[in-house]
Amino acid sequence: MVEQKLLVLFGSQTGTAQDIAERIGREAKRRHFQCRVEALDSYDVANLINELLVVFVCATTGQGDPPDNMKVFWRFLFRKNLPPSSLCQLDYAVLGLGDSSYPKFNFVAKKLHKRVLQLGGNPLLPVALGDDQHDLGPDAVVDPWLLALWDKIFALYPLPPGLEIISPHVRLPPKYTLHYLAEDSPHPDGSPLQPVAPRAVPSELHPFAARMVANRRVTAESHFQDVRLIEFDVTGSGITFSAGDVVMIQPQNCPEDVQQFCQLLRLDPDRRFVLKPMEPDTSLPALLPQPCTIRHLVTHYLDISCVPRRSFFELLSFFSTNELEREKLQEFSSAQGQEELYSYCNRPRRTTLEALWDFPHTTCAIPPEYLLDLIPRIRPRAFSIASSMLAHPDRIQILMAVVRYKTRLSKPRRGLCSTWLASLNPEQGDIRVPLWVKKGGMKFPADPDTPVIMIGPGTGVAPFRAAIQERVAQGRRGNCLFFGCRQKSKDFYCQAEWEELVTEGFLTLFTAFSRDQEEKVYVQHRIRENRKLVWELLSSGSAHVYLAG
């Protein structure tokens, strides 16, 4: 008997689209479909003409842009030379994720739906427009849309006689099996992240282990916010960048959290294991060494500090041996329990590790091979590069606010990446941080005579520091910066640097210190006060204006 095939392709920036794509994959398995779930850019798009049934799940980012992991697919799909009947045998559906507070709400999903239709595809349903602004999040749209989708799919591909849908109360097998190695098996040499001679330009799959050379606090000790200017040495990496580009950093969990997690789940952090996929077309997680220790898996891969999603509680409920805990987990994973889940998890920003604490009977019963299904991987964080290669060759600097805030939970919330980076002291040895560089959204003018007006309050000034350093190194003078912060004495980042450039005639600087006087003064007040100059630069100098928050 041939299993029906379904392909689920996702474009995801923060992980929500991937989470929903994997949910569709699980629902397909329960309905006896042979289902592959893949990121759009890891799928060979030329094969699309041979597919019969595809569900696209895609987020819209920024100003109507596709997520990073579908950009290649996007360019291919919009090629002018694709024949209008290319996809005439394809049945498809598009599920979009967006935010209705943005003008280009779900732009990518709408455009994708229209383009596949143009190429001859047959839509099973109207495009689904999931909305982050809804009280229940995108699920308010996703849940009913998926019910309708399965009705449509079953009308075209009915279940073979004698087969039943696998009950939602039955636990599906894990994606991988985990095989512990004997204590005395030989150890592989070295750490998984070694400063190696790079094969190619560093990327997410092959980050460069950059040495941290400086980690300096640039706010006064008495200031509530800890902001760092951090410098990395990227000599020999092959990395090049220009002003406006972004450095991606792969963070890790702190040792205390890793230890707690292992204690809760009764795992030996030093045990070594290998993973084997359950199905032949499932690839192994790219960033995990084989063999691997539990400690490495939890430190570098499992995002135990993220706010858990609904799918986490759904899978957790299967392991529960305690009736009270199981009922609560089932409520959190039901459509009716989403408001309750929101106030338990999202509003107070409760972490996965903290949620596991609250379900102790269930947590100690989690089979280790389900860890990779249960907890998503740690995603890289993006920082605007705050330096220019022309001023600092082989160096990358970032200006980073350490994220720390209070919710109703007693323990302050901390940003995973900023807390980790802030804790590293380059004077205490060879500190390595995995990173790579991505093109940013800001392009500065090529013409040396075009003036530039930059508005960068707070750490938003980072990309402009890179641009100003670059432009000054090229001898360009038309640089105008509006900078704002709270107090001149506490958080005026790079003050000496700016003042020197003003003296040398390279920079026109306007500052707004909002708390240094009775009435609050912000950058927009300074722009209004200097409207004559701003208008002159725009009208006669055809200046470019840049704004970063």
Side-chain angles (χ1 to χ4, degrees), residues 28 67 76 81 175 189 262 354 467 486 549:
F76 181 90
N81 60 355
K175 215 182 280 183
D189 292 331
C262 290
E354 289 168 330
R486 287 186 169 218

Side-chain angles (χ1 to χ4, degrees), residues 130-150:
D131 185 7
D132 252 356
Q133 289 297 317
H134 192 284
D135 288 345
L136 301 179
D139 284 352
V141 168
V142 174
D143 289 357
W145 187 84
L146 281 179
L147 290 173
L149 177 71
W150 289 117

